[in-house]
Amino acid sequence: MLDKIIALDKQLLVFLNGLGSPTFDGLWLIITKQAYWTPLFLLIFYLVIKKIGWKNFFIAIGFIALLILLCDQSANLFKNHFQRLRPCNDPQIKDIIRVVKGSDSFSFYSGHATNSMATTVFIFLIIRKYYKYVVLLFLFPLIFAYSRIYLGLHFPIDILTGYAFGALYGSLFYKVYQKYFIKD
């Protein structure tokens, strides 16, 4: 059963990765770097500060820092335990996919997907009652994590597992934040 899932995961990666084009490689290399998302992050910070104030904002930033630490460490723990090769290093598919960027670390599960989903869920839960279209924040983890497939760095299951852990962590951190720091 697990072998069948892994085979389907590889087939889906080959398909999704194959949708890429050298014309867009530079764009996806930019998308995959968090620093290029800084203007979006600053806009979101502004929207958060505007609704919850500076004190709660700094508390939220502390939670986000701890959240990212947890996400990174848990993803690395899984990567080192399972030691799944990245698509760009997988001998079965590395010669048939578009490898735009390489990496020597392991693949399962995606720290990028985990971090982006966890922080998005956390922020979303904080500001959802203030902004009508706040659900659009979820475009960030979707686009950001897809870049990892496009570049040949992660399998779809790596991304989906990262999303699941990220959503869980983001929700749990929000529950603690809400219980101890939000005064309605």
Side-chain angles (χ1 to χ4, degrees):
M1 177 69 166
L2 184 58
D3 290 338
K4 188 172 243 182
I5 292 170
I6 290 172
L8 288 171
D9 192 31
K10 287 183 181 187
Q11 288 175 0
L12 184 56
L13 176 276
V14 169
F15 171 75
L16 292 173
N17 175 269
L19 296 174
S21 160
T23 305
F24 297 105
D25 290 354
L27 172 66
W28 288 100
L29 284 166
I30 289 170
I31 288 171
T32 204
K33 292 187 186 218
Q34 294 143 334
Y36 290 112
W37 290 88
T38 300
L40 176 66
F41 299 155
L42 292 174
L43 172 64
I44 293 167
F45 288 169
Y46 168 75
L47 295 173
V48 171
I49 292 165
K50 188 174 165 185
K51 293 300 178 184
I52 69 171
W54 283 99
K55 180 182 175 190
N56 283 331
F57 171 73
F58 284 120
I59 293 169
I61 290 295
F63 270 77
I64 290 171
L66 291 172
L67 188 55
I68 290 171
L69 179 67
L70 173 65
C71 291
D72 281 342
Q73 294 310 308
S74 64
N76 287 334
L77 184 71
F78 272 71
K79 285 178 184 179
N80 290 327
H81 176 75
F82 288 102
Q83 297 187 353
R84 183 180 193 192
L85 294 176
R86 290 183 181 269
C88 59
N89 299 325
D90 186 319
Q92 290 181 332
I93 62 169
K94 71 179 184 179
D95 295 328
I96 59 173
I97 65 169
R98 299 181 66 257
V99 177
V100 180
K101 182 177 175 163
S103 176
D104 292 331
S105 63
F106 295 113
S107 184
F108 182 80
Y109 56 85
S110 170
H112 281 79
T114 310
N115 282 324
S116 62
M117 184 58 78
T119 54
T120 301
V121 166
F122 183 73
I123 293 293
F124 169 80
L125 291 171
I126 290 172
I127 63 173
R128 67 182 169 193
K129 64 184 174 186
Y130 303 115
Y131 299 105
K132 185 176 182 178
Y133 298 106
V134 71
V135 72
L136 293 175
L137 288 177
F138 288 98
L139 289 174
F140 164 63
L142 180 67
I143 295 167
F144 188 56
Y146 177 74
S147 73
R148 311 305 285 170
I149 292 171
Y150 182 97
L151 298 173
L153 293 169
H154 279 293
F155 291 98
I157 285 179
D158 302 340
I159 301 299
L160 294 175
T161 304
Y163 280 165
F165 275 98
L168 174 67
Y169 294 153
S171 298
L172 291 173
F173 271 58
Y174 174 73
K175 292 287 185 195
V176 173
Y177 174 80
Q178 181 184 39
K179 182 173 182 169
Y180 295 106
F181 296 100
I182 299 295
K183 309 295 181 222
D184 290 328

